[in-house]
């Protein structure tokens, strides 16, 4: 988000050190309307919490001069001491725990760290919506505790809910994966966990979340194309059935308090200057209750880098008139007054933006006086890094870890049978790698080596000095593998391979990692377990097809407790249940497909294979939803309709001529809910969790997906236990497809529902 060309490392470190000294001593929160210290503030309407929100905001805005108003359009918001408003920093981050990225949050001796959960891509692999929300609740509690002692703000610019469209994207690790439904469910769950007030008042916020980066943003820096100059050319169809659904769910179902517009252009317009995308869709169609913020320096980018306007005043005016409320950066602070003087934008448009910003702060209690006397006032250092919170971080990692291969049931290992475990690899004893990016200082770390060594005797060799693995130490590694009862290889990536502003150019393991893996497997006398620690997938076909490599695990970036979770899975203390939230492609895919091609659908005319499990027609290394367990689960269909009738008015044209689809409008959507009941049985003797997926293949109309996810549910079953899982499917929302013009349609004909190996035919007719 912050741009390297904007701030030098030296300046950042200097400021950080100054802030560290300041916040170490600071122990009080920032808030307005401190009536206890200044009783005269009690007469101000905006400080009166018994008044309605609209009245309070209107009272505040009318008291401000134009210059003061402009000071509230930027993330480092100005103070107005004459009416008791202190400086407020809007920019804090909480992607998978309270983060030190952004100037709004710091750690100190008072609170030296916060719970660091797995990177989002691994949490998404749990397919557990209750977990998404539970993590959000913990993060918001720790955030409030830090706010109470002056170490954090109340506005957190998370989550990242962009679609993981291309496997090379460096920020795919931050997202819930490639599927719009999963991304939507993650967005809704995590946002509710962050925002939901403990007093259940829908108008109050615990903290304010922000869904980003709106929209069609999934390229950072690939072969000379960067996000600051990229124009994402997106069809209406792809926009409405792939890129927009997570944001729509975040606003409508999650009731998020903010949406962040992105750096890139979409179809020739910067997203932060597009009135159709901002005022039209987010504010108009979806009715956002909150503020729209720019990615950091986005307004500066569309003026200085994209040259979208001739003058900076025009850029400021275009952003505000498009519906932008808050500028992360200083551009609006510098150029808005001149834009008003030039009559490019009216002061009333600025007032609208301020309404959205101030209303959000009021919902957070920022204008209600001392927060230590409010709902969350008793939270403090004791509520951060609690044993329960740290255990949830371990549990989240366990639930996300994906078992991709397990020949001859080589896993789980036996802690009694293994006398010596060889642990090899550049990621075997890492700490910071496990927490990915947008991280905070964790409570503590448990590395993979530490987790495994807590259970059995281990011998360790890194094999490579780092994940770049320019020269593998093959001899040392093969020696310990040849003597060990089993070998664990912990390989993969880190932020030097995939990160913000760093997209990959290939899908191969870096450097000599493949050589190291192959030679160690050849020399090993016992089971060989390959662990891939990464955000994106790799072409590990060589390992998948190597009989000497008995098991493969993908562990994402598993968070502060990642090593303990890995050991739990390897030794059977936890039965793996994670499923891949993204397709793993072969190297040949990226050799043929430019990352800059936004098209989701295949094109036979030029050999373009399409993207993600919904449209990709080529070979895969592993598929979306892949994942094994130590148990075997059976599915049995208990209840599902065979026909579904769409109601149309008597004069509808489809009664007189053959239609392949009908508009998914209110009348035709009546009574289209269907119930699907499935009996799931755990055939093993041990307990296990299982994700039940319901996919649909629609009739072949409007170039629809080859299949798409309708619903999913995580179920926990004891050994030999069975349960009935009930799905309620909205036939209009879930079974519909998007046509070439971006309109929702109900496809008529046979829909095939897939659950595991089960298939059920549902005929939709008028």
């Amino acid at each position: 988000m912050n741009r390297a060309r904007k701030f030098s490392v030296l300046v950042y470190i200097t400021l950080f050190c100054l802030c560290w000294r300041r916040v170490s001593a600071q122990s009080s929160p920032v808030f307005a309307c401190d009536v206890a210290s200044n009783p005269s503030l009690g007469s101000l309407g905006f400080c009166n919490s018994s008044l309605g929100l609209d009245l309070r905001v209107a009272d505040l805005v009318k008291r401000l001069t134009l210059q003061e108003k402009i000071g509230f359009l930027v993330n480092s918001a100005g103070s107005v001491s004459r009416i008791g408003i202190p400086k407020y920093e809007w920019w804090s981050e909480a992607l998978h725990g309270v983060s030190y990225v952004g100037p709004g949050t710091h750690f100190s001796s008072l609170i030296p760290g916060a719970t660091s959960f797995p990177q989002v891509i691994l949490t998404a692999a749990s397919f557990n919506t209750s977990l998404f929300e539970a993590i959000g609740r913990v993060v918001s509690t720790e955030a409030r505790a830090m706010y109470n002692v002056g170490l954090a703000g109340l506005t957190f610019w998370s989550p990242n809910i962009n679609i993981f469209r291309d496997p090379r994207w460096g920020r795919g690790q931050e997202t819930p994966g490639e599927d719009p439904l999963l991304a939507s469910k993650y967005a809704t769950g995590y946002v509710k966990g962050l925002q939901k007030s403990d007093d259940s008042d829908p108008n109050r916020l615990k903290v304010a979340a922000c869904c980003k980066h709106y929209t069609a943003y999934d390229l950072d820096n690939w072969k000379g194309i960067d996000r600051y100059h990229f124009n994402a050319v997106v069809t209406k169809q792809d926009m409405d059935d792939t890129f927009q659904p997570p944001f729509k769910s975040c606003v409508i179902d999650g009731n998020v308090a903010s949406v962040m517009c992105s750096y890139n252009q979409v179809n020739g317009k910067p997203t932060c200057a597009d009135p159709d995308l901002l005022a039209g869709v987010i504010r108009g169609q979806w009715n956002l209750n909150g503020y729209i913020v720019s990615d950091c320096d986005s307004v500066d980018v569309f003026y200085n880098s994209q040259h979208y306007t001739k003058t900076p005043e025009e850029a400021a005016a275009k952003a505000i008139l498009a519906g932008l409320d808050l500028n992360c950066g200083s551009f609006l602070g510098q150029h808005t007054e001149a834009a008003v003087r030039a009559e490019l934008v009216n002061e009333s448009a600025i007032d609208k933006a301020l309404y959205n910003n101030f209303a959000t702060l009021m919902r957070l209690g920022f204008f209600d006086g001392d927060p230590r006397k409010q709902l969350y006032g008793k939270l403090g250092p004791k509520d951060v890094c609690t044993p329960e919170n740290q255990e949830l971080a371990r549990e989240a990692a366990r639930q996300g870890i994906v078992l991709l291969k397990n020949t001859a049931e080589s896993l789980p290992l036996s802690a009694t049978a293994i006398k010596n475990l060889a642990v090899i690899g550049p990621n075997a004893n890492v700490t910071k790698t496990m927490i990915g990016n947008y991280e905070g200082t964790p409570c503590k770390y448990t590395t993979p080596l530490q987790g495994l060594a807590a259970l059995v005797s281990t011998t360790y060799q890194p094999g490579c000095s780092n994940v770049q693995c320019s020269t593998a130490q093959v001899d040392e590694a093969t020696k310990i593998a040849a003597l060990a009862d089993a070998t664990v290889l912990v390989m993969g990536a880190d932020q030097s391979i995939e990160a913000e502003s760093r997209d990959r150019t290939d899908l191969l393991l870096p450097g000599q990692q493949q050589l190291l893996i192959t030679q160690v497997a050849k020399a090993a006398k016992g089971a060989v377990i390959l662990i891939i620690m990464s955000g994106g997938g790799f072409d590990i076909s060589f390992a998948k097809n190597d009989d000497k490599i008995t098991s493969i695990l993908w562990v994402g970036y598993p968070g502060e407790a990642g090593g303990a979770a890995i050991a739990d899975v390897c030794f059977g203390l936890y039965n793996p249940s994670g499923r891949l939230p993204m397709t793993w492609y072969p190297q040949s895919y990226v050799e043929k497909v430019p990352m800059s091609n936004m098209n989701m659908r295949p094109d036979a005319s030029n050999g373009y294979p399409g993207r993600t499990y919904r449209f990709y027609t080529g070979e895969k290394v592993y598929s979306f939803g892949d994942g094994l367990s130590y148990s075997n689960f059976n599915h049995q269909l208990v209840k599902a309709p065979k026909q579904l009738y769409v109601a149309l008015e008597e004069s509808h044209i489809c009664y007189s001529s053959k239609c392949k689809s009908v508009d998914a409008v209110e009348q035709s959507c009546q009574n289209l809910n269907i119930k699907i009941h499935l009996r799931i049985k755990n055939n093993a003797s041990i307990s296990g969790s299982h994700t039940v997926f319901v996919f649909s293949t629609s009739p072949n109309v409007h170039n629809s997906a080859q299949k798409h996810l309708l619903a999913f549910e995580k179920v926990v079953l004891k050994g030999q236990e069975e349960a009935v899982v009930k799905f309620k499917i909205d036939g209009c929302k879930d079974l519909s497809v998007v046509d070439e013009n971006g309109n929702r349609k109900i496809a008529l004909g046979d829909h095939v529902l897939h659950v595991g190996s089960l298939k059920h035919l549902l005929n939709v007719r008028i």
Side-chain angles (χ1 to χ4, degrees):
M1 182 182 291
N2 53 335
R3 304 170 63 201
R5 67 189 179 100
K6 193 76 176 174
F7 306 104
S8 74
V9 173
L10 183 62
V11 170
Y12 180 83
I13 291 171
T14 304
L15 288 174
F16 181 80
C17 292
L18 288 171
C19 289
W20 182 272
R21 287 197 293 271
R22 178 176 59 83
V23 299
S24 293
Q26 184 178 338
S27 60
S28 59
V30 175
F31 61 95
C33 299
D34 188 359
V35 177
S37 299
N38 184 356
S40 67
L41 298 176
S43 63
L44 302 178
F46 69 86
C47 288
N48 184 350
S49 60
S50 66
L51 294 178
L53 189 68
D54 289 350
L55 288 173
R56 295 180 73 189
V57 175
D59 179 77
L60 172 53
V61 172
K62 77 180 183 184
R63 295 177 186 274
L64 302 174
T65 67
L66 176 62
Q67 290 77 16
E68 287 169 342
K69 289 176 181 179
I70 291 168
F72 290 107
L73 294 176
V74 294
N75 64 287
S76 294
S79 64
V80 184
S81 55
R82 63 184 176 82
I83 52 173
I85 301 176
K87 286 183 69 67
Y88 176 73
E89 177 54 64
W90 286 81
W91 180 6
S92 291
E93 302 276 356
L95 182 68
H96 52 102
V98 180
S99 170
Y100 47 56
V101 176
T105 304
H106 311 276
F107 292 98
S108 75
S109 56
L110 195 58
I111 299 180
T115 309
S116 189
F117 290 92
Q119 184 60 290
V120 175
I121 192 71
L122 188 71
T123 296
S126 73
F127 284 87
N128 185 348
T129 54
S130 62
L131 177 66
F132 305 159
E133 189 166 342
I135 292 173
R137 281 197 300 272
V138 167
V139 173
S140 59
T141 295
E142 295 195 346
R144 270 284 177 175
M146 291 179 68
Y147 169 71
N148 284 347
V149 294
L151 293 174
L154 293 169
T155 46
F156 290 84
W157 293 346
S158 305
N160 178 344
I161 58 167
N162 293 117
I163 295 295
F164 198 171
R165 172 187 62 91
D166 189 289
R168 292 162 286 195
W169 188 30
R171 301 189 74 176
Q173 59 182 294
E174 302 173 29
T175 76
E178 72 181 32
D179 180 70
L181 178 70
L182 174 58
S184 297
K185 295 287 188 184
Y186 180 84
T188 301
Y190 190 61
V191 166
K192 283 183 175 178
L194 287 175
Q195 294 193 165
K196 192 175 180 182
S197 177
D198 288 7
D199 62 4
S200 298
D201 183 345
N203 294 315
R204 305 292 286 185
L205 295 167
K206 190 176 179 185
V207 301
C210 173
C211 282
K212 62 186 186 184
H213 311 80
Y214 181 84
T215 183
Y217 167 73
D218 47 28
L219 181 152
D220 266 59
N221 192 348
W222 175 80
K223 293 189 175 181
I225 302 171
D226 69 50
R227 58 185 177 170
Y228 307 122
H229 300 88
F230 181 53
N231 176 28
V233 179
V234 184
T235 67
K236 287 183 178 180
Q237 190 172 30
D238 286 342
M239 182 68 87
D240 286 338
D241 81 352
T242 296
F243 299 110
Q244 294 290 70
F247 291 98
K248 184 177 182 180
S249 288
C250 190
V251 174
I252 294 175
D253 302 323
N255 195 23
V256 76
S258 177
V259 174
M260 175 183 285
C261 53
S262 54
Y263 291 116
N264 57 292
Q265 295 187 355
V266 174
N267 298 327
K269 287 184 181 178
T271 62
C272 293
D274 190 334
D276 295 327
L277 285 176
L278 303 189
V281 176
I282 299 176
R283 186 77 60 195
Q285 293 179 25
W286 301 343
N287 198 26
L288 172 72
N289 182 16
Y291 68 101
I292 299 173
V293 61
S294 73
D295 204 340
C296 292
D297 294 319
S298 280
V299 185
D300 181 274
V301 163
F302 77 67
Y303 171 64
N304 278 313
S305 299
Q306 298 173 6
H307 308 296
Y308 188 66
T309 63
K310 290 180 180 178
T311 68
E313 294 80 17
E314 287 176 309
K318 275 194 177 292
I320 294 167
L321 293 172
L324 188 71
D325 302 309
L326 188 72
N327 170 210
C328 178
S330 57
F331 196 91
L332 290 188
Q334 293 169 349
H335 301 293
T336 300
E337 185 173 356
V340 174
R341 303 287 178 229
E343 298 184 348
L344 296 171
V345 63
N346 294 327
E347 191 170 346
S348 60
I350 295 170
D351 292 349
K352 263 189 196 177
L354 293 189
Y355 176 91
N356 297 321
N357 298 342
F358 288 143
T360 303
L361 289 177
M362 285 186 183
R363 293 173 66 201
L364 287 160
F366 186 79
F367 291 95
D368 293 348
D370 192 339
R372 291 166 296 190
K373 298 176 182 176
Q374 311 297 334
L375 180 61
Y376 299 106
K378 289 186 169 54
L379 294 176
K382 71 182 188 310
D383 301 293
V384 182
C385 287
T386 66
E388 295 80 9
N389 294 356
Q390 293 185 63
E391 179 59 29
L392 184 63
R394 182 173 179 169
E395 175 63 17
R398 284 191 293 237
Q399 288 197 29
I401 289 172
V402 182
L403 178 63
L404 292 169
K405 178 182 179 181
N406 198 27
T407 53
E409 297 182 343
S410 59
L411 286 180
L413 300 171
S414 166
T416 54
I418 301 290
K419 305 302 181 189
N420 180 22
L421 181 70
V423 182
I424 298 167
N427 278 339
N429 200 31
V430 291
T431 52
K432 199 164 184 289
T433 297
M434 295 195 300
I435 59 176
N437 67 355
Y438 282 83
E439 75 285 8
T441 304
C443 310
K444 63 181 182 183
Y445 287 111
T446 304
T447 73
L449 178 61
Q450 289 169 337
L452 295 165
L455 298 177
V456 293
S457 176
T458 59
T459 311
Y460 165 62
Q461 279 287 342
C464 309
S465 58
N466 54 46
V467 293
Q468 305 280 355
C469 201
S470 56
T471 305
Q473 290 91 51
V474 173
D475 291 346
E476 294 92 330
T478 54
K479 279 176 189 172
I480 68 168
L483 297 172
D485 298 317
T487 298
V488 174
L489 286 146
V490 192
M491 313 298 287
D494 64 14
Q495 301 303 305
S496 71
I497 303 295
E498 51 178 359
E500 184 170 15
S501 298
R502 182 176 291 122
D503 298 326
R504 290 186 283 163
T505 55
D506 64 57
L507 301 181
L508 302 175
L509 287 170
Q512 293 190 346
Q513 283 196 36
Q514 180 172 335
L515 171 70
L516 179 66
I517 293 165
T518 304
Q519 293 304 310
V520 166
K522 194 182 293 183
K525 78 169 184 180
V528 177
I529 294 94
L530 172 61
I531 295 175
I532 302 294
M533 187 181 292
S534 69
F538 283 95
D539 183 348
I540 53 168
S541 305
F542 76 94
K544 181 180 180 182
N545 299 322
D546 187 339
D547 292 339
K548 286 286 288 177
I549 298 171
T550 51
S551 301
I552 300 174
L553 289 165
W554 174 70
V555 301
Y557 293 120
E560 64 171 42
I566 288 168
D568 290 340
V569 170
C570 286
F571 282 91
L573 301 174
Y574 189 85
N575 191 350
S577 61
R579 302 291 195 95
L580 286 182
M582 73 295 202
T583 303
W584 285 34
Y585 300 85
Q587 170 64 13
S588 58
Y589 177 81
V590 298
E591 291 168 356
K592 290 184 289 193
V593 179
M595 192 175 173
S596 52
N597 188 329
M598 299 294 293
N599 291 331
M600 298 300 298
R601 288 160 166 78
D603 186 344
S605 70
N606 59 19
Y608 182 71
R611 296 183 178 278
T612 77
Y613 82 93
R614 294 161 63 227
F615 302 106
Y616 174 57
T617 54
E619 292 183 8
K620 307 174 187 73
V621 179
Y622 289 107
S623 299
F624 173 88
D626 277 358
L628 304 171
S629 168
Y630 300 151
S631 297
N632 177 38
F633 294 90
N634 280 354
H635 306 91
Q636 181 185 351
L637 189 64
V638 175
K639 178 180 182 179
K642 293 184 177 180
Q643 291 185 335
L644 191 63
Y645 288 92
V646 181
L648 301 175
E649 64 232 20
E650 291 181 12
S651 59
H652 198 283
I653 191 171
C654 289
Y655 285 121
S656 56
S657 59
K658 191 169 183 180
C659 294
K660 292 184 177 180
S661 66
V662 295
D663 292 330
V665 293
E666 187 174 349
Q667 181 175 348
S668 54
C669 286
Q670 292 175 4
N671 303 316
L672 281 189
N673 290 335
I674 61 175
K675 294 177 181 177
I676 299 173
H677 296 179
L678 296 149
R679 182 173 287 111
I680 313 298
K681 184 177 181 183
N682 178 0
N683 291 312
S685 58
I686 57 171
S687 297
S689 299
H690 180 62
T691 298
V692 186
F693 293 116
V694 181
F695 290 99
S696 171
T697 298
S698 303
N700 188 18
V701 296
H702 304 303
N703 206 7
S704 58
Q706 49 195 359
K707 71 173 183 176
H708 73 274
L709 189 59
L710 291 183
F712 60 87
E713 186 73 37
K714 190 103 169 186
V715 58
V716 182
L717 296 172
K718 296 175 184 174
Q720 297 299 312
E721 186 182 8
E722 61 180 43
V724 174
V725 180
K726 299 178 180 180
F727 293 99
K728 187 177 180 182
I729 306 295
D730 182 332
C732 207
K733 179 182 175 184
D734 301 323
L735 286 175
S736 61
V737 298
V738 175
D739 73 7
E740 294 78 0
N741 297 314
N743 300 312
R744 281 265 161 204
K745 299 278 189 176
I746 302 169
L748 301 176
D750 289 335
H751 295 244
V752 183
L753 306 182
H754 313 253
V755 180
S757 59
L758 291 177
K759 290 187 179 180
H760 176 76
L761 215 60
L762 173 65
N763 183 260
V764 179
R765 58 175 65 186
I766 59 173

